Amino acid sequence: MAKFIIKGGKKLSGEIEVKGAKNATLPILTATLLASGVYTFSNIPELKDVEVMIDLLRHLGLVIKKLAPHTYRITNQGIKNIEAPYELVKAMRASFLVMGPLLGSAKKARVSMPGGCAIGARPVNFHLNGFENLGVKITVDHGFINAEAKELIGAEINLPFPTVTGTENLVMAAVKAKGRTIINNAAREPEVGDLCNLLNKMGAKISGINTDKLEINGVDKLQACDYEVIPDRIEIGTFIILSALFQGKILIKNARLDLLVDFIKKIEKAGIIVEKTGEYISAKIFKKINPLKVATEPYPGFPTDLQPQLMVLLNLANGDSTIEENIFENRFRQVPELNRLGAKITIFEKTATITGVEKLTGTEVTATDLRAGAALVLAGLIAENTTTINEAEHLERGYEDLVGRLQALGADIKKQT
């Protein structure tokens, strides 16, 4: 177990660079199962989740070499194994993304039930129902899902909810299916679009990218290619809040505001000015922080992955704010920990009410998941005295070298194991 120890109240300033998008990287890595050849990927973040996915792909038979920081070469000389074992899949829910490309290439897969952050029930039945529409036979035994098809046949799939990993999994199977597949109510997240752009570069025929209706005309053959992953929009949003908390003294490099339109609109309503100067983004508070009413929604709505970080900002607002969480039922796990730091947050059903306070005070808290951990780091940086964050290893799943990058801004933060 790792701990982050933060002595708050330091004045932070300088430049921080956004890394590649974790949630785009993971499905893009699994897409290499679809076609033999040599791939070179750049802007790959160096994260625990990426390490887990690389280990899983190696287990399935791929050869992976790190060429330089954030650059990997992946060689597919044929799939040697179609089973994703429990010890690898339990560490990260996104490991389930190998099922789609395994079906696309080998017509069969055996994947353990997924794990990941405990932020709520995230069933894979939408994935499985979609695979069945494509002609896949699904069976379950001893915690494994077995999937097999003599041939994948294009179909119309109606998703009950715009699931991101479900959309990605189904697209990766459908690109090798016979005929046309239509996915209605598809997830519109930029990470889904990034995967689709990669697949089209490999020779797939996908239209409707970044809309809720994807049309995939199956092809017989795909080829390996080179690709650069988009910047991580959750890092961008986290760092915009960080910049605002330190009145624009922190400059953010490699940020794309077009990935966070609704988030930017919301924080501007809160009195935050977001500025782009050359290649940098910064944010500062205009006079005071205004209360907000926010509801998380699938993209392009307000992202659930930025809800905990926004809560830290709203703790300093002049009045009461509300955040309604509509994606994950356990996404308020940071609330008791923020309250330990002096926040005044109450929860009723799926809505949190945040009453602004004058200050936060450091104490010992626990990071219950990745984004809750990010919120606690932000809070610890502005709190008086020392904040100790237990189970900080969650943060290493989604933020590359966060301690080192914050230290470079002047933060008094250290990791203890």
Side-chain angles (χ1 to χ4, degrees), residues 126-403:
F126 296 160
H127 305 227
L128 303 182
N129 293 339
F131 289 140
E132 287 176 329
N133 286 346
L134 296 174
V136 178
K137 182 181 179 182
I138 302 289
T139 58
V140 179
D141 73 274
H142 299 94
F144 277 84
I145 297 171
N146 300 299
E148 188 168 0
K150 290 183 179 179
E151 191 171 55
L152 296 172
I153 305 295
E156 186 161 0
I157 299 170
N158 298 304
L159 290 174
F161 180 84
T163 161
V164 173
T165 53
T167 300
E168 293 165 342
N169 236 343
L170 293 170
V171 166
M172 286 190 282
V175 292
K176 296 294 292 292
K178 298 290 184 183
R180 182 179 67 168
T181 298
I182 294 175
I183 303 177
N184 295 311
N185 200 27
R188 298 167 58 187
E189 273 74 1
E191 297 79 11
V192 177
D194 210 29
L195 171 65
C196 290
N197 288 331
L198 164 74
L199 293 170
N200 278 349
K201 191 173 182 183
M202 291 170 62
K205 296 180 179 178
I206 306 170
S207 59
I209 296 173
N210 299 323
T211 75
D212 62 0
K213 182 177 181 179
L214 292 173
E215 183 172 320
I216 304 109
N217 287 292
V219 297
D220 292 329
K221 187 174 177 59
L222 297 169
Q223 63 274 344
C225 67
D226 299 342
Y227 198 76
E228 181 177 346
V229 174
I230 59 172
D232 194 309
R233 64 192 171 98
I234 307 304
E235 266 209 355
I236 296 169
T238 302
F239 295 159
I240 285 175
I241 292 174
L242 177 67
S243 182
L245 291 171
F246 290 91
Q247 281 296 74
K249 300 295 185 183
I250 297 170
L251 304 177
I252 308 160
K253 189 177 181 181
N254 194 32
R256 280 178 48 186
L257 296 183
D258 62 299
L259 302 176
L260 284 170
V261 173
D262 193 69
F263 169 79
I264 298 299
K265 287 180 180 177
K266 289 292 191 300
I267 65 168
E268 285 178 342
K269 283 186 179 179
I272 307 302
I273 300 171
V274 179
E275 296 179 328
K276 186 174 186 346
T277 306
E279 60 180 342
Y280 296 103
I281 301 293
S282 63
K284 59 185 177 182
I285 301 165
F286 181 71
K287 294 184 179 178
K288 63 179 182 180
I289 300 173
N290 304 316
L292 278 185
K293 179 181 281 189
V294 175
T296 63
E297 298 172 342
Y299 192 88
F302 192 93
T304 183
D305 280 356
L306 285 172
Q307 171 260 107
Q309 300 90 311
L310 178 69
M311 194 172 278
V312 176
L313 186 72
L314 296 179
N315 273 307
L316 306 179
N318 183 24
D320 290 352
S321 301
T322 60
I323 298 178
E324 181 181 320
E325 176 54 58
N326 295 309
I327 307 299
F328 296 126
E329 68 271 23
N330 292 339
R331 214 23 180 312
F332 287 141
R333 299 180 77 203
Q334 75 276 9
V335 168
E337 307 306 307
L338 289 174
N339 282 344
R340 285 177 56 78
L341 293 168
K344 292 182 179 179
I345 308 170
T346 58
I347 302 172
F348 179 72
E349 295 181 346
K350 60 179 184 178
T351 300
T353 300
I354 305 105
T355 299
V357 296
E358 289 187 6
K359 64 179 182 179
L360 299 175
T361 303
T363 188
E364 189 164 356
V365 292
T366 299
T368 53
D369 60 72
L370 168 57
R371 307 306 175 185
L376 293 175
V377 169
L378 292 174
L381 291 171
I382 61 172
E384 295 180 346
N385 303 325
T386 299
T387 299
T388 300
I389 303 175
N390 297 303
E391 298 183 27
E393 65 275 1
H394 284 296
L395 283 134
E396 296 173 339
R397 293 186 52 237
Y399 295 92
E400 178 184 323
D401 187 26
L402 185 60
V403 169

